[in-house]
Amino acid sequence: MAQKTHYCGKLTIDYVNREVKLTGWVGKRRDHGGLIFIDLRDRSGQVQLVFDQRQGTELFTLAESLRSEYVIAVEGTVLRRSEETVNPSLPTGEIEVRVGSMEVLNTSKTPPFYIEDNINVDENLRLRYRYLDLRRPEMLRRLQLRHRAVKLIRDYMDRYDFLEVETPILTRSTPEGARDFLVPGRQQAGEFYALPQSPQLFKQLLMVSGIERYFQVVRCFRDEDLRADRQPEFTQVDIETSFFSMDNLFALTEGLVAGLWKELHGREIKRPFTKMPYQEAMNRYGTDKPDVRYGMELVGLDEQAGKSEFKVFKSALENGGAVKGLRLPGGSRLSRKDLDDLTLLARQFGAKGLAWAYVESEGWRSPISKFFDEAVIKEINTKMEAETGDVLLFVADRWHISCTVLGHLRTKFAPANLQEEPHFLWVVDFPLFHYNEEEQRYDSDHHPFTAPREEDMPLLDSDPLSVRAKAYDLVLDGVEIGGGSMRIHDSSTQAKIFGLLGLSEEEGREKFGFLLEALTYGAPPHGGIALGLDRLIALLSGDDSIRQVIPFPKTATASCLMTGAPSAVSDQQLEELRIKIEAKKEDK
RNA sequence: GGAGCUGUGGUGUAGUUGGUUAACAUAUCGGCCUGUCAAGCCGAAGAUCGCGGGUUCGAGUCCCGUCAGCUCCGCCA
């Protein structure tokens, strides 16, 4: 049978009386004895086929044999449905196709779940039979959304003279950052390639090459534990520019993202996006990716805590820490048990404990109220805008912990019905370093190629932890959707940073020598950003997990239920690579 | 590495304080049926209750272990 002439879902009243050839899959079948209705589905949607016994028994017998997911090709006539048989809930509901001839191209086993939207099936099954899952219209729509987003991105970047350049997938393992996926080399048996965590070094080298404006829609790999918004392989929209100021880059990114939301979500996004320093984000929201759609901001209580007799608070302050408070409006509905559970939760987030107080008309009902003068309690109530019926939570610890613990608790008590208007936010002025307690040294907060702010350069020697970086994250309603920085473009500053990170000159040369060398050959000032494409698509489609917008995702244990990857390999393969597998350690 | 939740016909669920034959819906198969679109009516088949061990006269149910999926903490420059 010849190629199809039309897509099922595109047939409308305009095609009445036309002869059409259609191909697709058998969906629902309604067999009335002498009359059979078939919903024929293809990529575009579905249309109702009609088989009438009175029009010939041979075709009708064939129609009776049709089952779910059989693949068929039909020729027939588009007919207007009579008024009372119109189905207003279908785009093709005003017409149907009276079939004149049919070929069964393939049969099908009964699928393990329904091929329709809004199914409630174990994700196990969907992943094992992902090719069937992707037949469902809602999954197809996600693939289409993703396609359109990527096309918009490529068109936008092209319009601004950006060049898409491919970078290696087999590359070199570098220290720092996430755990690498390693690929054993055969020609250099015993040595390994790494899959890129991002094309970071290559895109900087492309700037040295004079590309000036680079982008790539690129797969990245990180061998870390998974989450709803983290897969071991994921896609970034990777961007790097030369001679761009931070503001240039922000404007470019905002235009890109706002364009996606306008075209794919029908929403005008106000620009420029708000900017918030990291310190402020932490102090007010207890996270570097704040959801600013609701208040419940953290309150700094160092001054008031200092006036108390509560040892926990005082010693936290004496050790240079901070006391922070979070007000739970109407928290009095929480039981003592609820607060105990919250305390456990706070411990999981790293706090040593959680102090709390029920706000009542006479004062606080709290195990710690005895350590506070009435005046101080009043002061705290005022500062936290506490009202009778609230519960106040306090954490006293190192500043970072006090903030993040309450930040986590804040999100737990987020209002249920948050407005849908998206709030994009730049978080800026990240610290260049943080202190790695385990290894007793500084670590890059972003990555080791991030430029410090010029005015903070002198602090590199005196107080490295207070040096601010030219680094930024793009945040949407509590989700980090991208991040980047301006890079160091002179080799002496880069060598200095490596030094502070505890990389000896030799190690720096060994691991990154090619970059240091490149920086000596006229490297332009440059910087960039990477956006998490999977997260962007999930936000656009309203999904909680990026698995929904990745055609073939991995499970929480990083395995693929369809292919069974990862899997054992043959002894011969291992021998070629000179790899020996150690027996699993038995518990003794 | 850690915590929590889930696992019962193909699928989604129910299953009481441990007690006879594991229930319901849907899908599947067969019959009837010419205007359905969640088609309808009648009938049939379909489960070693994730897996292993234990307690018990007796385990889907209680205990221990284990596997898988999901969510979170740690981790993710």
Side-chain angles (χ1 to χ4, degrees), chain A residues 282-310:
Chain A
M282 292 297 287
N283 275 321
R284 291 174 59 191
Y285 300 100
T287 173
D288 60 2
K289 44 178 182 177
D291 187 341
V292 298
R293 285 175 300 176
Y294 60 100
M296 293 179 62
E297 295 186 17
L298 314 190
V299 179
L301 298 169
D302 291 355
E303 192 192 327
Q304 292 73 21
K307 294 186 211 161
S308 81
E309 300 304 320
F310 190 33

Side-chain angles (χ1 to χ4, degrees), chain A residues 174-187:
Chain A
T174 52
E176 307 226 16
R179 192 176 295 115
D180 283 323
F181 277 103
L182 296 177
V183 178
R186 179 181 56 82
Q187 312 213 50

Side-chain angles (χ1 to χ4, degrees), chain A residues 130-145:
Chain A
R130 189 61 156 184
Y131 46 89
L132 296 180
D133 193 33
L134 295 177
R135 255 185 216 171
R136 298 164 50 237
E138 60 176 80
M139 293 304 284
L140 197 57
R141 277 199 298 278
R142 290 183 171 102
L143 297 183
Q144 285 166 336
L145 175 72

Side-chain angles (χ1 to χ4, degrees), chain A residues 205-249:
Chain A
L205 293 167
L206 285 170
M207 294 304 102
V208 181
S209 305
I211 300 301
E212 296 196 30
R213 301 181 181 202
Y214 146 94
F215 86 104
Q216 190 179 185
V217 179
V218 62
R219 197 67 57 85
C220 302
F221 306 86
R222 292 177 192 175
D223 187 7
E224 298 292 347
D225 287 349
L226 289 82
R227 289 285 189 283
D229 62 354
R230 270 165 33 190
Q231 285 271 306
E233 53 179 304
F234 60 99
T235 304
Q236 283 191 342
V237 179
D238 195 42
I239 296 172
E240 193 78 7
T241 59
S242 298
F243 314 116
F244 261 51
S245 67
M246 263 205 299
D247 283 335
N248 292 153
L249 189 71

Side-chain angles (χ1 to χ4, degrees), chain A residues 56-69:
Chain A
T57 52
E58 197 180 322
L59 173 64
F60 194 79
T61 307
L62 192 56
E64 281 180 317
S65 73
L66 293 179
R67 293 295 181 269
S68 287
E69 301 309 310

Side-chain angles (χ1 to χ4, degrees), chain A residues 153-166:
Chain A
I153 290 165
R154 288 208 160 98
D155 289 347
Y156 178 91
M157 298 310 285
D158 181 65
R159 201 153 57 240
Y160 285 95
D161 282 338
F162 281 76
L163 207 58
E164 182 161 19
V165 182
E166 294 177 82

Side-chain angles (χ1 to χ4, degrees), chain A residues 249-439:
Chain A
L249 189 71
F250 287 172
L252 176 87
T253 308
E254 290 175 9
L256 176 64
V257 172
L260 290 177
W261 253 256
K262 182 167 161 48
E263 295 298 321
L264 303 176
H265 218 274
R267 284 179 187 282
E268 289 287 349
I269 305 294
K270 256 188 262 163
R271 286 186 275 160
F273 299 167
T274 313
K275 292 184 193 63
M276 184 182 292
Y278 167 84
Q279 284 281 340
E280 182 183 340
M282 292 297 287
N283 275 321
R284 291 174 59 191
Y285 300 100
T287 173
D288 60 2
K289 44 178 182 177
D291 187 341
V292 298
R293 285 175 300 176
Y294 60 100
M296 293 179 62
E297 295 186 17
L298 314 190
V299 179
L301 298 169
D302 291 355
E303 192 192 327
Q304 292 73 21
K307 294 186 211 161
S308 81
E309 300 304 320
F310 190 33
K311 267 197 191 139
V312 174
F313 282 13
K314 295 202 87 136
S315 72
L317 293 176
E318 280 158 18
N319 293 322
V323 179
K324 308 281 288 185
L326 171 67
R327 164 178 168 253
L328 302 180
S332 61
R333 68 193 146 74
L334 296 174
S335 66
R336 179 62 203 270
K337 168 84 165 57
D338 293 332
L339 292 177
D340 286 345
D341 290 344
L342 276 187
T343 306
L344 282 176
L345 201 59
R347 288 219 175 89
Q348 280 173 28
F349 292 131
K352 289 182 207 67
L354 182 72
W356 46 264
Y358 289 96
V359 181
E360 299 182 335
S361 49
E362 319 75 68
W364 283 0
R365 181 158 58 86
S366 165
I368 63 166
S369 57
K370 56 179 176 275
F371 301 114
F372 292 82
D373 289 343
E374 206 169 307
V376 178
I377 287 178
K378 265 202 175 133
E379 207 178 318
I380 292 176
N381 279 348
T382 305
K383 189 153 188 207
M384 296 183 71
E385 297 174 9
E387 292 173 16
T388 303
D390 292 345
V391 158
L392 306 180
L393 304 178
F394 309 99
V395 175
D397 212 305
R398 297 206 315 270
W399 171 78
H400 192 263
I401 290 181
S402 296
C403 293
T404 53
V405 169
L406 289 178
H408 275 118
L409 296 181
R410 172 179 176 267
T411 61
K412 270 207 86 78
F413 289 93
N417 303 316
L418 289 170
Q419 48 179 330
E420 279 192 25
E421 200 59 40
H423 286 59
F424 288 93
L425 179 73
W426 290 106
V427 177
V428 298
D429 293 343
F430 280 86
L432 189 63
F433 303 110
H434 58 259
Y435 195 68
N436 185 328
E437 302 276 350
E438 270 173 46
E439 311 209 357

